């Protein structure tokens, strides 16, 4: 239970830090890129055998997942400025639906009725919040859709790596 609480706190902190960092950091995209570059260097140092890494599928999948996370955080930052923190956070977190749908399609996992109802309610919530935000224009913002998709694909890589 403590890990769940720490994950929730960490997830919420990301939104707040990204919003507040715009006051002190002149290039927020550079900040995100440097963050992931340093993470890559630390993981390479931790791995040890660098010549062996060129053919390592774990490294390839980790690089792809890191790239998806980087793209999703850049989109997240852009959407916070464009659509506000609440709507952007909603779409980023609801990206969790993507790995669930991929698990059903790729790995033939069957969701329970409660999970199906939860996914339907999540989609309804996304459309209702976007509808209200756009002043009754019933169109889904393309940047919010990409945020939803990239965040979800980044989360889905964990499931792919498991298999």
């Amino acid at each position: 239970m403590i890990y769940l609480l720490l994950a929730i706190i960490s997830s919420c902190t990301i939104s707040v830090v990204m919003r507040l960092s715009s006051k002190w950091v002149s290039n927020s995209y550079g900040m995100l890129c440097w963050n992931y570059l340093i993470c890559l260097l630390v993981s390479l140092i931790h791995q040890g055998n660098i010549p062996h890494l060129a053919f390592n599928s774990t490294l390839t999948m980790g690089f792809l997942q890191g790239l998806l996370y980087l793209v999703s955080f850049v989109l997240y930052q852009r959407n916070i400025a464009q659509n506000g923190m609440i709507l952007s956070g909603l779409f980023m977190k609801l990206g969790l639906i993507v790995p669930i749908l991929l698990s059903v399609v790729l790995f033939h996992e069957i969701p329970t009725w409660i999970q199906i109802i939860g996914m339907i309610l999540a989609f309804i919530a996304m459309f209702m919040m976007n509808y209200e935000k756009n002043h009754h224009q019933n169109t889904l913002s393309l940047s919010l859709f990409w945020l939803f998709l990239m965040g979800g694909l980044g989360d889905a890589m964990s499931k792919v790596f498991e298999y």
Side-chain angles (χ1 to χ4, degrees):
M1 186 65 159
I2 188 73
Y3 294 116
L4 180 61
L5 291 173
L6 289 173
I8 291 169
I9 291 169
S10 297
S11 180
C12 293
T13 304
I14 289 172
S15 301
V16 173
V17 167
M18 289 179 87
R19 182 73 168 187
L20 293 176
S21 71
S22 63
K23 295 178 183 177
W24 296 290
V25 177
S26 61
N27 186 357
S28 55
Y29 300 123
M31 177 187 68
L32 287 171
C33 289
W34 275 105
N35 177 46
Y36 279 95
L37 181 63
I38 289 170
C39 289
L40 175 67
L41 292 175
V42 168
S43 68
L44 287 174
I45 291 168
H46 181 70
Q47 184 71 21
N49 190 3
I50 293 179
H52 175 67
L53 292 176
F55 303 105
N56 191 339
S57 63
T58 304
L59 179 68
T60 305
M61 292 183 71
F63 178 78
L64 181 59
Q65 185 172 13
L67 187 62
L68 286 169
Y69 280 144
L70 177 62
V71 169
S72 68
F73 277 120
V74 167
L75 286 170
Y76 188 46
Q77 210 164 28
R78 178 175 287 168
N79 274 292
I80 286 175
Q82 188 177 37
N83 300 306
M85 190 165 41
I86 293 172
L87 193 60
S88 301
L90 173 74
F91 274 76
M92 181 80 164
K93 301 305 176 215
L94 288 178
L96 191 59
I97 294 172
V98 173
I100 294 169
L101 293 176
L102 286 176
S103 291
V104 170
V105 173
L106 296 178
F107 306 117
H108 309 292
E109 294 180 4
I110 307 299
T112 65
W113 282 105
I114 298 291
Q115 292 168 331
I116 292 171
I117 291 169
M119 286 189 289
I120 292 169
L121 288 174
F123 278 118
I124 291 170
M126 285 186 342
F127 286 112
M128 287 178 65
M129 286 194 72
N130 193 55
Y131 182 78
E132 182 179 318
K133 177 72 175 174
N134 287 330
H135 307 292
H136 306 293
Q137 297 173 357
N138 198 8
T139 57
L140 181 64
S141 169
L142 190 58
S143 64
L144 285 171
F145 170 76
W146 281 111
L147 175 64
F148 169 77
L149 187 64
M150 290 296 129
L153 286 175
D155 292 336
M157 286 301 294
S158 298
K159 184 70 172 180
V160 171
F161 182 73
E162 182 181 323
Y163 277 90

